[in-house]
Amino acid sequence: MRILLVEDDPLVADGIVRGLTGEGYVVDHVATAEPVSGMMDSAHYDLAIIDLGLPGEDGLSLVRRLRRSGQGLPLLIVTARDGLDDRVSTLDLGADDYLVKPFALPELAARCRALIRRASAASANELTIGRLRIDLAGRRAINAAGEALELTRREWSILECLAHHSGKVVSKERLTQAIAGWSEDISGNAIEVHISRLRSKLGDSASIRGIRGLGYRLEDG
């Protein structure tokens, strides 16, 4: 899953990036609102985390602009403002959740998971595809024998992305965006290698079907 962080405080931003990267997310960070629209046009994001107190265009204006432009991705606001009017105004403009600083990184990660699940219509913490069980909260995949698969961070990110779109074809480009930030150069061949390793680990619990020219689909084994 790929997250866009809009936060001007370098220390806060660094903590969020490190924390969410450790949870397996790909995080792109910018310090102002100006580049956000262009970034969303060029990459797929599953969630945006936005600070209200940004320089230049503030976070409230950014939320309003994104919603007016038709952007439907989940928006999580992080801010030091804890007044009721601020929370009400932000949610009324289209934000999906509101977290007051200072906050604990585990709570931020939990809210991210909840918003992404809600947006992908995966309301439960666990998904089942064939005989494969995917524990989204615990970030584990359990095979038909009841064993937890040993997955690398990128293998988990690919599997999670495919699981959230179970039964649908996911393009190589979308999978690349799920595992790599803008500073990383990941080739289509690298995706094929990760897919091959995932197939081997999944065994007959579930299958990843390649659709020529389109991408991959996770389905029953």
Side-chain angles (χ1 to χ4, degrees):
M1 298 289 111
R2 188 169 186 149
I3 293 175
L4 175 60
L5 171 63
V6 191
E7 168 63 66
D8 66 312
D9 186 318
L11 291 178
V12 173
D14 183 66
I16 292 175
V17 170
R18 287 175 181 271
L20 293 181
T21 299
E23 292 282 333
Y25 295 103
V26 174
V27 184
D28 293 336
H29 167 238
V30 291
T32 64
E34 282 69 24
V36 168
S37 293
M39 293 173 67
M40 289 185 175
D41 288 340
S42 62
H44 174 89
Y45 290 98
D46 299 283
L47 171 73
I49 301 174
I50 300 173
D51 177 34
L52 285 188
L54 297 171
E57 181 182 13
D58 67 13
L60 204 59
S61 174
L62 176 58
V63 170
R64 182 187 297 110
R65 175 160 62 87
L66 290 175
R67 290 307 189 222
R68 285 180 175 174
S69 69
Q71 282 286 353
L73 85 166
L75 303 179
L76 171 59
I77 300 304
V78 293
T79 178
R81 306 176 192 173
D82 60 356
L84 177 62
D85 289 345
D86 289 317
R87 294 198 299 273
V88 170
S89 297
T90 305
L91 294 171
D92 280 346
L93 283 175
D96 297 280
D97 202 356
Y98 192 105
L99 191 57
V100 177
K101 300 175 183 176
F103 50 79
L105 284 172
E107 181 181 3
L108 174 66
R111 289 177 184 249
C112 290
R113 289 193 296 270
L115 289 173
I116 291 171
R117 284 200 309 271
R118 189 186 309 163
S120 64
S123 59
N125 278 326
E126 188 174 284
L127 302 176
T128 301
I129 295 93
R131 292 186 292 170
L132 178 72
R133 291 190 296 114
I134 300 175
D135 178 1
L136 295 171
R139 307 187 72 79
R140 299 187 307 155
I142 313 297
N143 65 15
E147 301 166 336
L149 303 181
E150 294 187 8
L151 303 177
T152 66
R153 182 178 66 83
R154 284 183 171 174
E155 288 168 354
W156 167 260
S157 293
I158 289 174
L159 180 60
E160 184 182 34
C161 184
L162 290 171
H164 276 297
H165 300 85
S166 178
K168 301 177 182 179
V169 178
V170 182
S171 69
K172 275 188 181 180
E173 180 182 10
R174 175 69 185 85
L175 292 176
T176 299
Q177 292 177 358
I179 68 173
W182 55 25
S183 62
E184 299 174 271
D185 185 16
I186 303 295
S187 68
N189 289 338
I191 294 296
E192 292 174 7
V193 170
H194 290 307
I195 291 290
S196 176
R197 292 173 178 168
L198 260 178
R199 283 175 172 150
S200 177
K201 293 179 180 182
L202 292 176
D204 60 359
S205 300
S207 65
I208 301 175
R209 182 182 176 189
I211 311 298
R212 185 178 295 275
L214 295 177
Y216 299 93
R217 182 170 61 211
L218 181 65
E219 52 191 38
D220 294 356

Coordinates of all heavy atoms in Angstrom, one line a residue, residues 6-61:
V6 N 1.9 14.6 3.6 CA 2.0 16.1 3.4 C 2.2 16.7 4.8 O 1.3 16.9 5.5 CB 0.8 16.7 2.7 CG1 1.2 18.1 2.3 CG2 0.4 15.9 1.5
E7 N 3.5 16.9 5.2 CA 3.9 17.3 6.5 C 5.1 18.2 6.4 O 6.1 17.8 5.9 CB 4.1 16.1 7.4 CG 4.8 16.4 8.7 CD 3.9 17.3 9.6 OE1 2.9 16.8 10.1 OE2 4.4 18.4 9.9
D8 N 5.1 19.4 7.0 CA 6.2 20.3 6.8 C 7.2 20.2 8.0 O 8.3 20.7 7.8 CB 5.7 21.8 6.8 CG 5.1 22.3 8.0 OD1 4.2 21.5 8.6 OD2 5.4 23.4 8.5
D9 N 6.9 19.6 9.1 CA 7.8 19.4 10.2 C 8.7 18.2 9.9 O 8.2 17.1 9.8 CB 7.1 19.2 11.5 CG 8.0 19.2 12.7 OD1 9.1 18.6 12.6 OD2 7.6 19.7 13.7
P10 N 10.0 18.5 9.6 CA 10.9 17.4 9.2 C 11.0 16.3 10.3 O 11.1 15.1 9.9 CB 12.2 18.1 9.0 CG 12.2 19.4 9.7 CD 10.8 19.8 9.7
L11 N 11.0 16.6 11.6 CA 11.1 15.6 12.6 C 9.9 14.7 12.6 O 10.0 13.5 12.7 CB 11.4 16.2 13.9 CG 12.7 16.9 14.1 CD1 12.8 17.5 15.5 CD2 13.9 15.9 13.9
V12 N 8.7 15.3 12.6 CA 7.5 14.6 12.6 C 7.4 13.7 11.3 O 7.0 12.5 11.4 CB 6.3 15.5 12.7 CG1 5.0 14.7 12.5 CG2 6.2 16.3 14.0
A13 N 7.7 14.3 10.2 CA 7.7 13.6 8.9 C 8.6 12.4 8.9 O 8.2 11.3 8.5 CB 8.0 14.5 7.8
D14 N 9.8 12.6 9.4 CA 10.8 11.5 9.5 C 10.3 10.3 10.4 O 10.4 9.2 10.0 CB 12.1 12.0 10.0 CG 13.2 10.9 10.0 OD1 13.6 10.4 8.9 OD2 13.6 10.5 11.1
G15 N 9.6 10.7 11.5 CA 9.1 9.6 12.4 C 8.0 8.9 11.7 O 7.9 7.6 11.8
I16 N 7.1 9.6 11.0 CA 6.0 8.9 10.4 C 6.5 8.0 9.2 O 6.0 6.9 9.1 CB 5.0 10.0 9.8 CG1 4.3 10.7 11.0 CG2 3.9 9.3 8.9 CD1 3.4 11.8 10.6
V17 N 7.4 8.6 8.4 CA 7.9 7.8 7.3 C 8.6 6.5 7.8 O 8.4 5.4 7.3 CB 8.9 8.6 6.5 CG1 9.7 7.7 5.5 CG2 8.2 9.7 5.7
R18 N 9.4 6.6 8.8 CA 10.1 5.5 9.4 C 9.1 4.5 10.0 O 9.3 3.3 9.8 CB 11.1 5.9 10.5 CG 12.4 6.6 10.0 CD 13.2 7.1 11.1 NE 14.4 7.8 10.6 CZ 15.6 7.2 10.4 NH1 15.7 5.9 10.5 NH2 16.6 7.9 9.9
G19 N 8.2 5.0 10.7 CA 7.2 4.1 11.4 C 6.3 3.3 10.4 O 6.2 2.1 10.5
L20 N 5.8 4.0 9.4 CA 4.9 3.4 8.4 C 5.7 2.5 7.4 O 5.2 1.5 7.0 CB 4.1 4.4 7.6 CG 3.1 5.2 8.4 CD1 2.3 6.2 7.6 CD2 2.1 4.2 9.1
T21 N 7.0 2.9 7.1 CA 7.8 2.0 6.3 C 8.1 0.7 7.0 O 8.1 -0.4 6.4 CB 9.1 2.7 5.9 OG1 8.9 3.9 5.2 CG2 10.0 1.8 5.1
G22 N 8.3 0.8 8.3 CA 8.5 -0.4 9.1 C 7.2 -1.3 9.1 O 7.4 -2.5 9.4
E23 N 6.1 -0.7 8.9 CA 4.8 -1.5 8.8 C 4.6 -2.1 7.4 O 3.6 -2.7 7.2 CB 3.6 -0.6 9.2 CG 3.6 -0.1 10.7 CD 3.1 -1.2 11.6 OE1 2.3 -2.1 11.1 OE2 3.5 -1.3 12.7
G24 N 5.5 -1.8 6.5 CA 5.4 -2.3 5.2 C 4.8 -1.4 4.1 O 4.6 -1.8 3.0
Y25 N 4.5 -0.2 4.5 CA 3.9 0.8 3.5 C 5.0 1.5 2.7 O 6.2 1.6 3.2 CB 3.1 1.9 4.2 CG 1.9 1.4 4.9 CD1 1.9 1.2 6.3 CD2 0.7 1.0 4.2 CE1 0.7 0.7 7.0 CE2 -0.4 0.6 4.8 CZ -0.4 0.4 6.2 OH -1.5 -0.1 6.9
V26 N 4.7 1.9 1.5 CA 5.6 2.8 0.8 C 5.1 4.2 1.0 O 3.9 4.5 0.9 CB 5.5 2.5 -0.7 CG1 6.3 3.5 -1.5 CG2 6.1 1.1 -1.0
V27 N 6.0 5.1 1.5 CA 5.5 6.5 1.9 C 6.3 7.5 1.0 O 7.5 7.5 1.0 CB 5.8 6.7 3.4 CG1 5.2 8.1 3.7 CG2 5.1 5.6 4.2
D28 N 5.6 8.3 0.3 CA 6.1 9.5 -0.4 C 5.8 10.7 0.4 O 4.7 11.0 0.8 CB 5.5 9.6 -1.8 CG 5.9 8.5 -2.7 OD1 7.0 7.9 -2.5 OD2 5.2 8.2 -3.7
H29 N 6.9 11.6 0.7 CA 6.7 12.7 1.6 C 6.9 14.0 0.8 O 7.9 14.1 0.1 CB 7.6 12.6 2.8 CG 7.7 13.9 3.5 ND1 8.9 14.6 3.7 CD2 6.8 14.6 4.1 CE1 8.7 15.6 4.4 NE2 7.4 15.7 4.7
V30 N 6.1 15.0 1.0 CA 6.3 16.4 0.6 C 6.0 17.3 1.7 O 5.2 17.0 2.6 CB 5.4 16.7 -0.7 CG1 5.9 16.0 -1.9 CG2 3.9 16.5 -0.4
A31 N 6.6 18.5 1.7 CA 6.4 19.4 2.8 C 5.4 20.5 2.6 O 5.0 21.3 3.5 CB 7.8 20.1 3.1
T32 N 4.9 20.6 1.3 CA 3.9 21.6 1.0 C 2.7 21.0 0.2 O 2.9 19.9 -0.3 CB 4.5 22.8 0.2 OG1 4.9 22.3 -1.0 CG2 5.6 23.4 1.0
A33 N 1.6 21.7 0.0 CA 0.5 21.2 -0.7 C 0.6 21.3 -2.2 O 0.0 20.6 -2.9 CB -0.8 22.0 -0.2
E34 N 1.5 22.2 -2.7 CA 1.5 22.5 -4.1 C 1.8 21.3 -5.0 O 1.1 21.2 -6.0 CB 2.6 23.6 -4.4 CG 2.2 25.0 -4.0 CD 2.1 25.2 -2.5 OE1 2.7 24.5 -1.7 OE2 1.3 26.2 -2.1
P35 N 2.7 20.4 -4.7 CA 2.9 19.3 -5.6 C 1.9 18.1 -5.6 O 2.0 17.2 -6.4 CB 4.3 18.8 -5.2 CG 4.7 19.4 -3.9 CD 3.6 20.3 -3.5
V36 N 0.9 18.2 -4.6 CA 0.1 17.0 -4.4 C -0.7 16.6 -5.6 O -0.8 15.4 -5.9 CB -0.8 17.3 -3.2 CG1 -1.9 16.3 -3.0 CG2 0.0 17.4 -1.9
S37 N -1.4 17.5 -6.3 CA -2.2 17.2 -7.4 C -1.4 16.5 -8.5 O -1.8 15.4 -9.0 CB -2.9 18.4 -8.0 OG -3.8 18.9 -7.1
G38 N -0.2 17.0 -8.8 CA 0.6 16.4 -9.8 C 1.0 15.0 -9.4 O 1.1 14.1 -10.3
M39 N 1.4 14.8 -8.2 CA 1.8 13.5 -7.7 C 0.6 12.5 -7.8 O 0.8 11.3 -8.2 CB 2.3 13.6 -6.2 CG 3.6 14.4 -6.1 SD 4.0 14.6 -4.4 CE 4.4 12.9 -3.9
M40 N -0.6 12.9 -7.4 CA -1.7 12.0 -7.5 C -2.1 11.7 -8.9 O -2.7 10.6 -9.2 CB -2.9 12.6 -6.8 CG -2.7 12.6 -5.3 SD -4.2 13.2 -4.4 CE -3.7 13.0 -2.7
D41 N -1.8 12.6 -9.9 CA -2.0 12.3 -11.3 C -1.0 11.2 -11.8 O -1.3 10.5 -12.8 CB -1.9 13.5 -12.1 CG -3.1 14.5 -11.9 OD1 -4.1 14.0 -11.4 OD2 -2.9 15.7 -12.2
S42 N 0.2 11.2 -11.2 CA 1.2 10.3 -11.8 C 1.4 9.0 -11.0 O 2.1 8.1 -11.5 CB 2.6 11.0 -11.8 OG 3.0 11.4 -10.5
A43 N 0.7 8.8 -9.9 CA 0.9 7.6 -9.1 C -0.4 7.3 -8.4 O -1.2 8.2 -8.1 CB 2.0 7.7 -8.1
H44 N -0.6 6.0 -8.0 CA -1.8 5.6 -7.3 C -1.5 5.6 -5.8 O -0.5 4.9 -5.4 CB -2.3 4.2 -7.7 CG -3.4 3.7 -6.9 ND1 -4.7 3.9 -7.2 CD2 -3.4 3.0 -5.7 CE1 -5.5 3.4 -6.3 NE2 -4.7 2.8 -5.4
Y45 N -2.3 6.3 -5.0 CA -2.1 6.3 -3.6 C -3.3 5.7 -2.9 O -4.5 5.8 -3.4 CB -1.9 7.7 -3.1 CG -0.6 8.3 -3.4 CD1 -0.5 9.1 -4.5 CD2 0.6 8.0 -2.7 CE1 0.8 9.7 -4.9 CE2 1.8 8.5 -3.1 CZ 1.9 9.3 -4.2 OH 3.1 9.8 -4.6
D46 N -3.1 4.9 -1.8 CA -4.2 4.3 -1.1 C -4.7 5.2 0.0 O -5.8 5.0 0.6 CB -3.7 3.0 -0.6 CG -3.3 2.0 -1.7 OD1 -4.2 1.4 -2.3 OD2 -2.1 1.9 -1.9
L47 N -3.9 6.2 0.4 CA -4.2 7.1 1.5 C -3.3 8.3 1.5 O -2.2 8.2 1.1 CB -4.0 6.3 2.8 CG -4.1 7.1 4.2 CD1 -5.6 7.4 4.5 CD2 -3.5 6.3 5.3
A48 N -3.9 9.4 1.9 CA -3.1 10.6 2.1 C -3.2 11.1 3.6 O -4.3 11.1 4.1 CB -3.5 11.8 1.2
I49 N -2.0 11.4 4.2 CA -1.9 11.9 5.5 C -1.6 13.4 5.4 O -0.5 13.7 4.8 CB -0.9 11.2 6.4 CG1 -1.3 9.7 6.5 CG2 -0.8 11.8 7.8 CD1 -0.2 8.8 7.2
I50 N -2.4 14.3 5.9 CA -2.2 15.7 5.7 C -2.2 16.5 7.0 O -3.1 16.3 7.8 CB -3.4 16.2 4.8 CG1 -3.4 15.5 3.4 CG2 -3.2 17.7 4.6 CD1 -4.6 15.8 2.6
D51 N -1.2 17.3 7.1 CA -1.1 18.2 8.3 C -1.9 19.5 8.0 O -1.8 20.0 6.8 CB 0.4 18.5 8.6 CG 0.6 19.5 9.7 OD1 -0.2 19.5 10.6 OD2 1.5 20.3 9.6
L52 N -2.6 20.0 8.9 CA -3.4 21.2 8.7 C -2.5 22.4 8.6 O -2.7 23.3 7.8 CB -4.4 21.4 9.8 CG -5.7 20.5 9.8 CD1 -6.6 21.0 10.9 CD2 -6.3 20.5 8.4
G53 N -1.4 22.5 9.4 CA -0.6 23.7 9.5 C 0.5 23.8 8.5 O 1.7 23.9 8.8
L54 N 0.2 23.7 7.2 CA 1.2 23.7 6.1 C 1.5 25.1 5.8 O 0.7 26.0 5.8 CB 0.7 22.9 4.9 CG 0.4 21.4 5.1 CD1 -0.3 20.9 3.8 CD2 1.7 20.7 5.3
P55 N 2.7 25.4 5.3 CA 3.1 26.7 4.8 C 2.4 26.9 3.4 O 2.2 26.0 2.7 CB 4.6 26.7 4.6 CG 4.9 25.2 4.4 CD 3.9 24.5 5.3
G56 N 2.1 28.1 3.1 CA 1.4 28.4 1.8 C 0.0 27.9 1.9 O -0.8 28.3 2.8
E57 N -0.5 27.1 1.0 CA -1.8 26.5 1.1 C -1.9 25.6 2.3 O -1.1 24.6 2.4 CB -2.1 25.7 -0.2 CG -3.6 25.2 -0.2 CD -3.9 24.4 -1.4 OE1 -2.9 24.1 -2.2 OE2 -5.1 24.1 -1.7
D58 N -2.8 25.8 3.2 CA -2.9 25.0 4.4 C -3.7 23.7 4.1 O -4.2 23.5 3.0 CB -3.5 25.8 5.6 CG -5.0 26.1 5.3 OD1 -5.6 25.6 4.4 OD2 -5.5 26.9 6.1
G59 N -3.6 22.8 5.1 CA -4.2 21.5 4.9 C -5.7 21.5 4.7 O -6.2 20.7 3.9
L60 N -6.4 22.4 5.3 CA -7.8 22.6 5.1 C -8.2 22.9 3.7 O -9.1 22.3 3.1 CB -8.4 23.6 6.1 CG -9.9 23.5 6.5 CD1 -10.2 22.2 7.2 CD2 -10.3 24.7 7.4
S61 N -7.4 23.8 3.1 CA -7.7 24.2 1.7 C -7.3 23.1 0.8 O -8.0 22.8 -0.2 CB -6.8 25.4 1.4 OG -6.9 25.7 0.0

